[in-house]
Amino acid sequence: MITVEEARALLFDLVSPLPGETVPLSDAAGRVLSQDVEATRDQPPFAASSMDGYAVKSTEVELHAMFKVIGESAAGKRFQGSVGPGQAVRIFTGAPIPEGADFVVIQEDTERRGDLITISDLPGPKTNIRPAGVDFTVGTKISAPRRLRAEDVALMAAMNIAAVPVSRKPVIALISTGDELVMPGDVPGPDQIIASNTFGLKALLEEAGAHVRVLPIAQDTVSSLRTAFELGEGADLVVTIGGASVGDYDLVSDVSAGLGMEQSFYKIRMRPGKPLMAGRLGQAAMVGLPGNPVSAMVCGYLFLLPMVRQMLGVEQVLTPFQTARLTEPLDKNGPREHYMRATLDETGIRACRDQDSSLLSVLAQANALLVRPPHDPALLAGDKVQYLPI
Ligand code: AMP
Ligand code: MG
């Protein structure tokens, strides 16, 4: 059996960064920028007022100074003339500063009578002017790779970048296996349960930027499983769930081998999720996950998410572990690395009481995986441990 780290290295060998494509700006959120982009304009494109008030000459600003209002500069419609001595232009936020002016007296510091204004409160040194290009200038870069957040989309919009180069979404085919499974919303027979981790994984992988195809559930027969693999053709990564152990109905290994899968490894020295297999299946990578709901999800976090990030070309494919202090003691760990469902709050971290790998209710309450190295000794409350936020 190999370690989690060794498994990851082998999994990374199975996938590589995907080519780019161009998407409209409105579809760019959550995608990974694949090439640097540059601003095609300055922002603001002109010196602009940051307040509602009056544009004047700064040398004339003093208490009780009086100015004649000679026009107006609004956002989108500038004042065409120039501001001379003793003159002011009514101005609004975002409007271009008129020629001749270099100061905006805010409205609240003035009194107006007809077209005359008086400075009634002495303004401070702040000019209330945003210089041209203060936000960004032509050529300002957003560097790839970068997972685009809402803020990046706003910035690119302001830069007038309407088409965005991004890496193609990895296509992942998810195959659930088992005669006992039905889809959510279907009516299960007396011995049946609902396919669950399939949808948990879909959510997890899509959130990471993949496009997930949930294939019809494969029955525990060679032909049904084979059909499912055929339906998965064209995907970058084919993921099976369940049927990966050594039971009579665990057919994934045999069927995938029959289809030419070159196995890269089988079984990882970890809990939960030991019976994980991986390899290359034609053009695609293939990962066979254990079926137990928590095992499948934990393997999703530890192995599938980094593979997705690798295909997307992001820089940091592994989420670094963090450190917290235990609020409750822990028994010693066995020979396998253990990813314990745990809850973390301001007081510290504690492992959930029941670590059975079938318990989705426990996983749903957890917000961290507490990582125990092999043979970790018993720990006391207050001891430091590592965890992965989930
Ligand atoms: P297996 O690896 O096929 O023996 O499955 C191990 C356990 O996980 C069994 O209790 C299965 O019923 C359950 N299981 C397998 N696949 C799924 C799935 N997609 N959703 C929920 N439970 C599953
Ligand atoms: Mg099964």
Side-chain angles (χ1 to χ4, degrees), residues 258-304:
L259 292 170
M261 201 264 268
E262 297 161 38
Q263 191 166 299
S264 151
F265 65 86
Y266 175 47
K267 287 191 182 168
I268 303 176
R269 203 181 308 127
M270 68 177 282
R271 272 202 301 166
K274 176 173 117 179
L276 186 140
M277 73 176 74
R280 184 174 302 288
L281 188 60
Q283 295 297 306
M286 187 238 152
V287 173
L289 295 180
N292 262 317
V294 175
S295 313
M297 289 296 286
V298 169
C299 290
Y301 277 107
L302 295 181
F303 304 113
L304 300 184

Side-chain angles (χ1 to χ4, degrees), residues 176-181 218 220 241-245 249-252 291-292:
S176 323
T177 72
D179 292 345
E180 76 279 29
L181 301 177
D220 288 319
I241 304 162
S245 307
Y249 297 98
D250 293 330
L251 302 170
V252 169
N292 262 317

Side-chain angles (χ1 to χ4, degrees), residues 17-35:
L18 297 171
E21 63 185 13
T22 302
V23 295
L25 175 71
S26 56
D27 295 340
R31 303 296 298 268
V32 174
L33 192 68
S34 59
Q35 280 170 37

Side-chain angles (χ1 to χ4, degrees), residues 51-52 105-110 120-121:
M51 300 293 277
D52 293 335
V105 183
I106 64 170
Q107 195 169 312
E108 293 83 341
D109 290 348
T110 64
S120 50
D121 279 294

Side-chain angles (χ1 to χ4, degrees), residues 173-387:
L174 281 186
I175 302 176
S176 323
T177 72
D179 292 345
E180 76 279 29
L181 301 177
V182 298
M183 287 294 192
D186 286 353
V187 180
D191 300 335
Q192 289 189 303
I193 60 168
I194 318 296
S196 56
N197 49 45
T198 317
F199 294 88
L201 288 165
K202 177 182 194 293
L204 189 68
L205 299 170
E206 286 190 339
E207 145 80 11
H211 173 75
V212 175
R213 287 160 46 194
V214 172
L215 301 184
I217 294 165
Q219 302 300 298
D220 288 319
T221 63
V222 169
S223 65
S224 180
L225 194 52
R226 211 176 247 170
T227 305
F229 272 111
E230 280 162 15
L231 290 172
E233 251 169 54
D236 301 297
L237 172 61
V238 177
V239 176
T240 58
I241 304 162
S245 307
V246 290
D248 292 350
Y249 297 98
D250 293 330
L251 302 170
V252 169
S253 177
D254 285 355
V255 170
S256 56
L259 292 170
M261 201 264 268
E262 297 161 38
Q263 191 166 299
S264 151
F265 65 86
Y266 175 47
K267 287 191 182 168
I268 303 176
R269 203 181 308 127
M270 68 177 282
R271 272 202 301 166
K274 176 173 117 179
L276 186 140
M277 73 176 74
R280 184 174 302 288
L281 188 60
Q283 295 297 306
M286 187 238 152
V287 173
L289 295 180
N292 262 317
V294 175
S295 313
M297 289 296 286
V298 169
C299 290
Y301 277 107
L302 295 181
F303 304 113
L304 300 184
L305 287 188
M307 290 175 88
V308 168
R309 295 189 197 116
Q310 169 108 335
M311 287 189 270
L312 287 170
V314 300
E315 259 162 343
Q316 195 188 46
V317 290
L318 294 180
T319 313
F321 290 158
Q322 299 184 27
T323 306
R325 287 188 189 276
L326 286 172
T327 56
E328 288 175 16
L330 276 179
D331 286 344
K332 71 175 174 17
N333 189 28
R336 288 189 269 154
E337 199 169 331
H338 194 181
Y339 288 82
M340 306 179 85
R341 278 64 76 204
T343 50
L344 175 82
D345 61 24
E346 340 50 85
T347 64
I349 193 168
R350 70 169 187 84
C352 300
R353 296 228 187 285
D354 198 335
Q355 294 289 327
D356 186 278
S357 60
S358 68
L359 304 178
L360 279 178
S361 56
V362 174
L363 181 67
Q365 275 165 18
N367 59 1
L369 295 174
L370 193 165
V371 189
R372 306 289 309 276
H375 305 292
D376 198 24
L379 298 174
L380 301 171
D383 284 348
K384 275 191 187 167
V385 289
Q386 292 204 301
Y387 71 93

